[in-house]
Amino acid sequence: SRRSSSQKFTAYLHSILNFFFIFLSSWWTEVQMGPPDPILGVTEAFKRDTNPKKMNLGVGAYRDDQGKPFVLSCVRKAEAQIAAKKLDKEYLPIGGLAEFSKACSQLALGPDNEVLKSGRSITIQTISGTGSLRVGANFVSRFHNASRDVYLPKPSWGNHTPIFRDAGMQLKAYSYYDPKTCGFDFKGALHDISKIPEKSVIVLHACAHNPTGVDPRPEQWKEMAALIKKRNLLVFFDMAYQGFASGDIDRDAWAVRDFIEQGHNILLSQSFAKNMGLYGERVGGFTVVCKDVEEAKRVESQLKILIRPIYSNPPMNGARIASTILNTPELYKEWLVEVKDMADRIITMREMFVSNLKKEGSTHNWQHVTEQIGMFCFTGLKPEQVERLIKEFSIYMTKDGRISVAGVTSANVGYLAHAIHAVTK
Amino acid sequence: SSWWTEVQMGPPDPILGVTEAFKRDTNSKKMNLGVGAYRDDNGKPYVLSCVRKAEALIASKMLDKEYLPIGGLGDFNKACAELALGPDSEVLKSKRSITVQTISGTGSLRIGANFLSRFHTVARDVYLPKPSWGNHTPIFRDAGMQLKAYRYYDPATCGFDFTGALDDVSKIPEHSVIMLHACAHNPTGVDPRPEQWKELSAVIKKRKLLVFFDMAYQGFASGDIDRDAWAVRYFLEQGHNVLLSQSFAKNMGLYGERVGGFTVVCADAEEAKRVESQLKILIRPIYSNPPMNGARIASTILSTPELRSTWLEEVKGMADRIIKMREMLVTNLKKEGSTHNWQHVIDQIGMFCFTGLKPEQVERLTKEFSVYMTKDGRISVAGVTSGNVGYLAHAIHQVTK
């Protein structure tokens, strides 16, 4: 600093005087302290806990069998390839990295999909799944004048609600989870959907429903597709776990592809946070399936106009990694193996969890733990039981009894089963 | 029957549209003076060496890719705030501000706009300088605010309309939001002088306006990061509790990595905590948490002494080249025989220059000389090189003589 000490002192006096001026009149006096995020709040509490046996089954990020974050080897290889190219850091187009968007849509729809061949869809790169959903919500709010209503399954991912609400839509719900069976309330869902007013938006979780892990079976999806078409609803698919649910990317995208075949011109959000472990790089895609190429061009132009005043253009690094993996045959193959391994480990943990509960002597029916799919499991535990698990066993999960199976390892599954048996026997 | 039959084809982005037209042009002498991205003296994109070094450091650490917190990388936020406010800032010492990592400058401005829209209920009006960066308008409008303007640029002098600005600012209704470009005004390159900033600050305080600074060029304007942040720091000393958007797109060349910060200066630490909690609630349903890569690079540079000094040299190098190109352009215009007063080209600062050219003249430059710029006569000086400055001067002289 080039100022003299007397200048510094004067400035300091000034700031003291102005401190008092401002103290009397502040812009943000009325701003209330907001509640902590329910999911991220779990991790904060976990971090403060000093119990060596503590388990964080809150946030949905994959852990390996040592409980450590896992960076995929195909990701490391892609990074090395990218670094070697010494690419510049020029702005991406508003809609993102073109090679990424193309590969992203091909992954979801299948490379031979009629929609892609005819060019009648537009896919843009987004800030992971949340960014994709919000761009979609904003788009619907601006252009889907026929209805303000968005129907979410009950329950749904907590963040869906503020995403659509802050975008100006109204939230409604359709029955989905049956707490009695810890499974899919198929009858309830069909019943509610049959009453949804025409042209409303309906959000469907493509696979590995969050938070319940309960997915419809193919024949159930088919009935839902027919009914949704009859009700003339606008389908918005949220696919955050393609490959991560069953271990097979085509199987996990089956519902999306079938709906398109049945003639639904869907909206689709994709995330690469989990299936490529790219969480913090924020990689995702948003797709609008249109009537034809001309409509896709109009929609694209409006998406760009919408995005430019939110963040101008998306972050390049994660998209380059995902694009490199999707477009380099050996890396793509390696990725498929790694995502299957992650899915398989989850499935193994579900099985071990149930067998350990039986070993503990639990007489409850834990069938749902192995029937549910994906990262999460809706245990069926009540809030009081969840509270006990936190306080007495330092096992952290969200209040709704949702556990992230990714946080379970062969080393701690026994402790988990013991604790859950203790609070449910 | 289609869902999107009523969706109209939208107009192309005025700035990005220039680059698209440029790409289609086959003239070997073509020049792209549209978009504001720095170019070296060979006309090539420039990745700073401190950035490459930071990347190598980061890669060697084999870090994971876990989600950042909603407010971003803590180390980045701290360094970002210190860069703007200065390490001795009373605001930082008393912890009465909150800085969150954002998606570059645009993301920062939009978060700020959304925050104002939700919590600054005493006024809906945001006053922009006339002219301002084109994207400011849809940012605030889409966030639900109303746009108004105060005089700023004087086309008669190609300079600052100080009297007009004071006059307009003195009439702005109390508690309105006023947007100020901290340095290197975009698109004009015209900045107030320190004594003019002082008067503006006094009038703004008298009118009880909420100040929102947009600082996208710290270091890039004069070559000196403290000098470029002077207005922001002065306003804080004068007691304005500002909102501040920062971008590292230009000054660290991190354009596509999307690195920025948004700061709210509050009455005290307790208020800063309340504001922070609400910023997180606002951000979570937009993008959950920000991208990690660029923030790690910026944070590494700012907190590693040798990288930070290299960076300060490199950002000064970029600013100096821009200043040199301004001087060469004017020299060449005189050599061409132009009798116009081109002093403003040298007086203006930063990446952009408001040439004073009329739309018809801009059109001729594009059609006859393949020199591309935005219709308002704004050129990105960063696109000028010692190799093409002569051609540019020649072309401009042709359309203005």
Side-chain angles (χ1 to χ4, degrees), chain A residues 387-398:
Chain A
E387 178 111 18
R388 282 188 64 195
L389 281 171
I390 296 173
K391 288 200 153 43
E392 296 173 35
F393 296 93
S394 295
I395 294 175
Y396 292 80
M397 64 187 68
T398 43

Side-chain angles (χ1 to χ4, degrees), chain A residues 94-343:
Chain A
I94 299 175
L97 187 64
E99 310 92 81
F100 166 76
S101 301
K102 189 160 184 279
C104 177
S105 61
Q106 279 180 1
L107 178 67
L109 272 40
D112 300 320
N113 196 292
E114 161 271 320
V115 165
L116 297 178
K117 287 198 161 98
S118 63
R120 68 180 181 95
S121 65
I122 172 65
T123 297
I124 50 157
Q125 177 193 341
T126 56
I127 301 170
S128 209
T130 302
S132 175
L133 288 160
R134 181 57 176 266
V135 167
N138 284 355
F139 185 76
V140 161
S141 183
R142 184 172 281 184
F143 294 105
H144 186 59
N145 302 309
S147 172
R148 301 284 79 195
D149 291 336
V150 175
Y151 282 76
L152 300 178
K154 202 178 352 183
S156 195
W157 180 45
N159 207 20
H160 277 147
T161 295
I163 288 171
F164 285 101
R165 191 192 55 211
D166 284 6
M169 303 301 287
Q170 301 263 50
L171 275 308
K172 299 229 159 58
Y174 58 93
S175 298
Y176 188 84
Y177 178 72
D178 185 349
K180 287 199 290 300
T181 61
C182 293
F184 183 34
D185 181 4
F186 183 46
K187 280 217 186 65
L190 287 180
H191 175 76
D192 284 357
I193 292 172
S194 70
K195 297 197 158 69
I196 295 179
E198 290 209 352
K199 304 199 181 160
S200 303
V201 179
I202 182 168
V203 172
L204 303 170
H205 295 221
C207 60
H209 181 272
N210 180 357
T212 68
V214 167
D215 284 352
R217 288 192 307 272
E219 57 273 22
Q220 293 172 322
W221 272 125
K222 281 189 185 288
E223 280 201 57
M224 287 167 69
L227 177 58
I228 288 169
K229 198 195 266 193
K230 199 155 158 234
R231 295 304 305 147
N232 200 16
L233 308 179
L234 172 51
V235 172
F236 196 149
F237 265 111
D238 184 357
M239 184 155 69
Y241 299 99
Q242 187 185 6
F244 201 93
S246 70
D248 179 329
I249 50 145
D250 295 309
R251 191 163 150 181
D252 288 347
W254 183 86
V256 170
R257 296 174 189 183
D258 191 64
F259 268 65
I260 290 176
E261 264 183 57
Q262 299 309 314
H264 293 274
N265 283 355
I266 64 170
L267 304 173
L268 168 67
S269 284
Q270 291 167 262
S271 168
F272 289 85
K274 281 87 171 170
N275 61 8
M276 279 194 186
L278 292 174
Y279 305 95
E281 301 277 1
R282 318 308 290 128
V283 193
F286 176 65
T287 298
V288 183
V289 177
C290 300
K291 189 176 79 167
D292 51 38
V293 183
E294 187 269 342
E295 184 167 281
K297 289 272 161 237
R298 284 184 281 115
V299 167
E300 179 183 20
S301 74
Q302 293 296 344
L303 284 170
K304 285 155 77 170
I305 287 170
L306 204 141
I307 286 168
R308 172 66 156 148
I310 306 179
Y311 55 84
S312 280
N313 44 77
M316 60 185 5
N317 200 56
R320 279 175 168 171
I321 295 172
S323 178
T324 302
I325 291 171
L326 293 172
N327 291 310
T328 311
E330 324 89 65
L331 291 185
Y332 183 71
K333 263 174 49 190
E334 187 171 355
W335 172 56
L336 293 180
V337 170
E338 293 192 276
V339 78
K340 184 175 188 320
D341 284 346
M342 287 193 286

Side-chain angles (χ1 to χ4, degrees), chain A residues 8-21:
Chain A
K8 281 187 193 174
F9 181 69
T10 309
Y12 183 67
L13 256 189
H14 252 158
S15 49
I16 296 283
L17 287 168
N18 285 301
F19 181 80
F20 284 106
F21 161 77

Side-chain angles (χ1 to χ4, degrees), chain A residues 22 31 79 89 130 298 312, chain B residues 7 55 106 241 274 288:
Chain A
I22 289 304
V31 172
E79 287 184 306
K89 293 188 184 296
T130 302
R298 284 184 281 115
S312 280
Chain B
V7 173
E55 287 185 304
T106 302
N241 282 357
R274 283 185 279 115
S288 282

Side-chain angles (χ1 to χ4, degrees), chain B residues 43 77 139 241 248 286 297 314 356:
Chain B
N77 293 336
I139 287 171
N241 282 357
F248 289 85
I286 305 178
I297 294 171
E314 292 190 280

Side-chain angles (χ1 to χ4, degrees), chain B residues 87-395:
Chain B
D88 300 320
S89 166
E90 163 272 321
V91 166
L92 295 179
K93 287 193 160 90
S94 58
K95 298 195 193 304
R96 65 181 181 93
S97 64
I98 172 64
T99 299
V100 293
Q101 178 193 337
T102 57
I103 301 169
S104 209
T106 302
S108 176
L109 289 161
R110 183 54 177 269
I111 294 299
N114 284 358
F115 185 76
L116 287 169
S117 187
R118 184 170 282 184
F119 294 106
H120 187 60
T121 46
V122 293
R124 300 283 79 193
D125 293 337
V126 176
Y127 283 76
L128 300 178
K130 201 175 355 184
S132 196
W133 181 44
N135 207 19
H136 277 147
T137 295
I139 287 171
F140 285 101
R141 192 194 53 210
D142 284 7
M145 303 299 286
Q146 301 263 49
L147 275 309
K148 298 228 159 57
Y150 59 93
R151 271 171 290 168
Y152 189 84
Y153 178 72
D154 184 352
T157 60
C158 293
F160 184 34
D161 181 1
F162 183 45
T163 317
L166 282 181
D167 187 40
D168 283 358
V169 173
S170 70
K171 298 191 163 83
I172 295 179
E174 290 202 352
H175 306 308
S176 303
V177 179
I178 182 168
M179 167 123 291
L180 303 170
H181 295 221
C183 60
H185 180 272
N186 179 358
T188 68
V190 167
D191 285 352
R193 288 191 309 272
E195 57 273 22
Q196 294 172 323
W197 272 125
K198 288 184 180 190
E199 282 202 57
L200 278 168
S201 164
V203 174
I204 289 169
K205 200 196 270 193
K206 202 152 160 233
R207 297 305 302 149
K208 294 195 174 68
L209 307 179
L210 173 50
V211 172
F212 196 151
F213 267 110
D214 184 357
M215 183 155 71
Y217 299 99
Q218 187 185 5
F220 200 93
S222 69
D224 179 328
I225 50 152
D226 295 310
R227 190 163 153 184
D228 289 347
W230 183 85
V232 171
R233 296 175 190 182
Y234 177 78
F235 268 65
L236 287 171
E237 273 167 29
Q238 296 306 303
H240 297 274
N241 282 357
V242 309
L243 302 174
L244 168 66
S245 285
Q246 291 168 260
S247 168
F248 289 85
K250 283 84 172 170
N251 62 8
M252 279 194 186
L254 291 174
Y255 305 95
E257 300 278 1
R258 318 311 288 128
V259 193
F262 175 65
T263 297
V264 184
V265 177
C266 300
D268 52 40
E270 187 269 341
E271 182 168 281
K273 287 272 160 237
R274 283 185 279 115
V275 167
E276 179 184 18
S277 75
Q278 294 296 345
L279 283 170
K280 283 155 76 168
I281 287 171
L282 204 141
I283 288 169
R284 173 63 156 148
I286 305 178
Y287 53 83
S288 282
N289 44 78
M292 63 187 1
N293 199 57
R296 280 175 167 172
I297 294 171
S299 179
T300 301
I301 290 170
L302 292 172
S303 29
T304 310
E306 324 90 68
L307 291 187
R308 194 187 173 105
S309 11
T310 302
W311 173 56
L312 292 176
E313 280 171 26
E314 292 190 280
V315 77
K316 185 175 191 317
M318 289 192 285
D320 285 348
R321 196 185 86 71
I322 301 274
I323 288 165
K324 184 132 185 275
M325 289 304 105
R326 291 176 178 277
E327 290 161 359
M328 282 182 78
L329 177 57
V330 174
T331 308
N332 274 273
L333 280 161
K334 288 179 176 154
K335 259 200 275 179
E336 287 281 328
S338 179
T339 51
H340 291 289
N341 179 1
W342 296 105
Q343 184 63 22
H344 56 282
V345 173
I346 294 172
D347 289 342
Q348 290 168 8
I349 191 169
M351 189 163 321
F352 300 112
C353 169
F354 236 35
T355 54
L357 292 166
K358 314 247 172 301
E360 321 81 67
Q361 295 166 321
V362 170
E363 177 112 20
R364 282 189 63 195
L365 280 171
T366 305
K367 287 199 151 50
E368 297 173 34
F369 297 93
S370 295
V371 173
Y372 289 81
M373 64 188 68
T374 44
K375 280 202 318 271
D376 55 9
R378 179 193 91 161
I379 60 170
S380 172
V381 185
V384 182
T385 67
S386 11
N388 65 24
V389 65
Y391 178 70
L392 176 62
H394 173 76

